[in-house]
Amino acid sequence: MNRNGEEEEVAEKRRQRRKRREVVQVSLRGGCLAASATAIAMMLTATEEGVADVYGFKLTLYSNWSFSPSYQYVVGACTATMLYSLFQLCLGVYRLLTGSSITPSRFQAWLCFISDQLFGYLMMSAGSAGSGVTNLNKTGIIHTPLPDFCKTLSSFCNHVALSLLLVFLSFIFLASSSLFNVLVLSTA
């Protein structure tokens, strides 16, 4: 009788650990969704007009996120990641509420791991592409007389910089989720 009680206690602790791990997984999905959606919102609102003085000439500058293919790539990657995270979040919440396991099989754990890796690399790629253009906007082109745009268009640059920060944060959420899938695979 004592042995049976110990086994039940061990099984209960195992269920509680699994439940905590699954809540963390769902939280990571929610964080990725929030970071991706906010990154899209910040990038889509990145527009500004200003006047720059270039060698005594007044030059009207207007910038919009859609002028740069790199920023368009950021918006596309964030949209795809946001939709993926929304799907995974809804599935995870549903499974938590019904009491079933979030990753019921090794196949599904592998599928989630691979998907998290793909979307994580997509976000890292988009963030890197956008960072290059943002750095050029901030520093200007050294060998030409073009000044940096961020002196004149500081609001635009701030929106883009915050969006890219959130892109990299989304990558961290995806990498952490991928790590949890590795834990699931190693204990299964």
Side-chain angles (χ1 to χ4, degrees):
M1 181 146 169
N2 196 10
R3 171 101 171 140
N4 198 14
E6 289 176 8
E7 289 175 2
E8 288 178 13
E9 186 176 315
V10 168
E12 181 60 32
K13 284 182 181 180
R14 200 173 281 147
R15 279 191 296 273
Q16 288 175 352
R17 274 196 312 260
R18 182 183 65 103
K19 189 63 110 177
R20 277 191 301 247
R21 187 177 64 223
E22 289 176 346
V23 168
V24 169
Q25 282 180 302
V26 169
S27 300
L28 288 171
R29 300 289 183 194
C32 183
L33 175 66
S36 299
T38 308
I40 291 170
M42 292 305 296
M43 189 61 81
L44 292 179
T45 59
T47 59
E48 188 176 12
E49 186 175 337
V51 178
D53 186 16
V54 179
Y55 295 116
F57 295 104
K58 300 293 182 189
L59 180 64
T60 301
L61 299 175
Y62 177 74
S63 193
N64 190 337
W65 68 272
S66 63
F67 293 167
S68 169
S70 295
Y71 294 157
Q72 292 173 359
Y73 179 46
V74 169
V75 170
C78 285
T79 302
T81 301
M82 183 185 70
L83 293 173
Y84 167 72
S85 296
L86 179 64
F87 171 74
Q88 288 287 356
L89 179 67
C90 291
L91 187 64
V93 167
Y94 172 75
R95 288 190 174 157
L96 272 178
L97 292 176
T98 60
S100 62
S101 176
I102 289 181
T103 49
S105 68
R106 288 182 60 80
F107 174 76
Q108 188 169 3
W110 273 108
L111 188 63
C112 287
F113 171 74
I114 292 169
S115 299
D116 287 345
Q117 289 286 307
L118 288 174
F119 281 99
Y121 290 136
L122 176 69
M123 293 302 279
M124 183 58 78
S125 170
S128 298
S131 295
V133 173
T134 302
N135 186 45
L136 186 62
N137 285 344
K138 180 144 180 67
T139 61
I141 301 173
I142 296 171
H143 59 276
T144 63
L146 291 176
D148 62 34
F149 289 106
C150 289
K151 284 183 182 174
T152 306
L153 306 172
S154 62
S155 176
F156 171 79
C157 291
N158 291 339
H159 273 80
V160 169
L162 183 57
S163 177
L164 293 174
L165 176 71
L166 290 166
V167 166
F168 289 121
L169 180 64
S170 183
F171 164 76
I172 290 171
F173 281 125
L174 286 165
S176 300
S177 179
S178 183
L179 177 66
F180 269 92
N181 286 321
V182 168
L183 293 174
V184 168
L185 286 167
S186 67
T187 59

